[in-house]
Amino acid sequence: MVTVKSSQEIEKIYRACQVVAETLLKARESLVPGVTTWDLDRIAEEYILSKGLKPAFKGYRGFKHTLCTSINEEVVHGIPSKKREILEGDLVSVDCGAIYEGYYGDSARSFAVGQVSEKVQKLLEVTQEALARGIAQMKEGSRLYDIGASVQNYAENHGFSVVRDYVGHGIGRQLHEDPQIPNYGKAGTGMRLKPGMVFAIEPMLNAGLAETKTLSDGWTVVTRDGQLSAHFEDTAVVGEKAPQILTHL
Ligand code: MG
Ligand code: MG
């Protein structure tokens, strides 16, 4: 069931989202060659706890960490590790969630570490813009798959593929609520969007083919062809005329 949130509920989701956005900024500032993904996770957890909130991913289906850290060909759900040092030229995707008074916020950003190739830079820019185009559909009168259609058109017109195996989602009282929101689809189809629905939109774009596989750790998702992947996610509210993005600072 897709729920419409009250303004009081949206305020709580907003508080969670703001701390998530601040945490991602902290992670970005800490993202230098030599730092481990474990270090990033510690910094994120300490920050969220210092604000009186709870990390949303810790304990979720047995996940033990505050962040998902996915590097280069890793798409999503990378596990922070003391053994994984960030290197110059890496593309690092950081996904974070937090809970405020029972309400969830969820956001992700991909960052370039130091000097990266033009191809990496383009992948980052196109993924972020694809997210913006998807969210721009979150207004009264739109249909659900208008979001994915906008993401897919922009991504594919720029030569990248859209991951099919993982999707965006409703969010609020739970991290993952209905509906599932694919990053592809046919415009003009799917349910009608209503003001007050809150979604986490999260395109994952690949430099090569769209297919993914999960590593033997049971979590880390990588591109099947080993090429790069980027992930941007924001939590936003469907508005009457325009969406309100809750994870922007
Ligand atoms: Mg996320
Ligand atoms: Mg999400």
Side-chain angles (χ1 to χ4, degrees):
M1 191 183 63
V2 181
T3 58
V4 169
K5 270 71 178 181
S6 69
S7 55
Q8 290 87 345
E9 288 181 297
I10 289 168
E11 179 59 29
K12 288 180 181 176
I13 299 168
Y14 175 74
R15 297 278 288 269
C17 286
Q18 288 293 292
V19 171
V20 168
E22 290 160 15
T23 305
L24 289 174
L25 199 58
K26 290 256 163 210
R28 176 184 209 162
E29 288 165 357
S30 312
L31 206 49
V32 292
V35 75
T36 66
T37 52
W38 182 269
D39 298 329
L40 294 177
D41 191 66
R42 300 312 317 152
I43 291 163
E45 180 171 348
E46 279 164 24
Y47 185 75
I48 291 170
L49 294 175
S50 79
K51 293 288 169 180
L53 277 72
K54 277 188 267 180
F57 301 168
K58 205 169 178 170
Y60 186 84
R61 295 188 181 172
F63 194 76
K64 295 191 175 71
H65 307 278
T66 294
L67 299 179
C68 293
T69 50
S70 310
I71 304 174
N72 298 330
E73 79 285 0
E74 296 172 356
V75 180
V76 286
H77 305 163
I79 305 171
S81 163
K82 287 176 182 167
K83 292 183 198 147
R84 189 71 195 254
E85 258 186 37
I86 304 293
L87 304 176
E88 170 90 16
D90 276 344
L91 182 175
V92 183
S93 301
V94 183
D95 196 346
C96 182
I99 312 168
Y100 174 78
E101 293 187 357
Y103 287 86
Y104 287 77
D106 189 8
S107 182
R109 290 286 180 273
S110 292
F111 303 116
V113 181
Q115 287 289 100
V116 294
S117 66
E118 238 172 72
K119 191 178 178 186
V120 171
Q121 202 53 52
K122 188 181 166 206
L123 176 61
L124 293 175
E125 286 167 16
V126 171
T127 309
Q128 186 154 29
E129 180 60 23
L131 169 62
R133 295 196 175 213
I135 288 178
Q137 301 299 326
M138 288 177 58
K139 53 189 187 333
E140 199 162 25
S142 291
R143 301 271 199 145
L144 185 64
Y145 300 126
D146 290 340
I147 297 170
S150 291
V151 170
Q152 181 181 16
N153 284 339
Y154 190 77
E156 292 179 354
N157 284 339
H158 288 80
F160 297 115
S161 66
V162 171
V163 170
R164 305 306 205 254
D165 303 336
Y166 301 88
V167 297
H169 50 93
I171 184 168
R173 291 283 233 174
Q174 294 176 62
L175 179 59
H176 297 126
E177 297 184 353
D178 290 339
Q180 295 199 358
I181 308 167
N183 294 297
Y184 56 92
K186 189 166 156 38
T189 66
M191 73 171 191
R192 290 181 191 282
L193 304 188
K194 294 196 187 109
M197 290 176 172
V198 183
F199 299 157
I201 308 298
E202 50 179 317
M204 291 140 265
L205 267 54
N206 294 350
L209 301 174
E211 284 73 25
T212 69
K213 64 179 179 185
T214 305
L215 298 184
S216 58
D217 63 22
W219 283 102
T220 312
V221 176
V222 298
T223 56
R224 233 171 226 286
D225 62 10
Q227 293 207 56
L228 296 169
S229 186
H231 180 210
F232 281 77
E233 175 179 30
D234 277 312
T235 297
V237 189
V238 175
E240 281 173 22
K241 294 205 168 62
Q244 181 193 2
I245 300 174
L246 304 179
T247 37
H248 280 183
L249 290 176

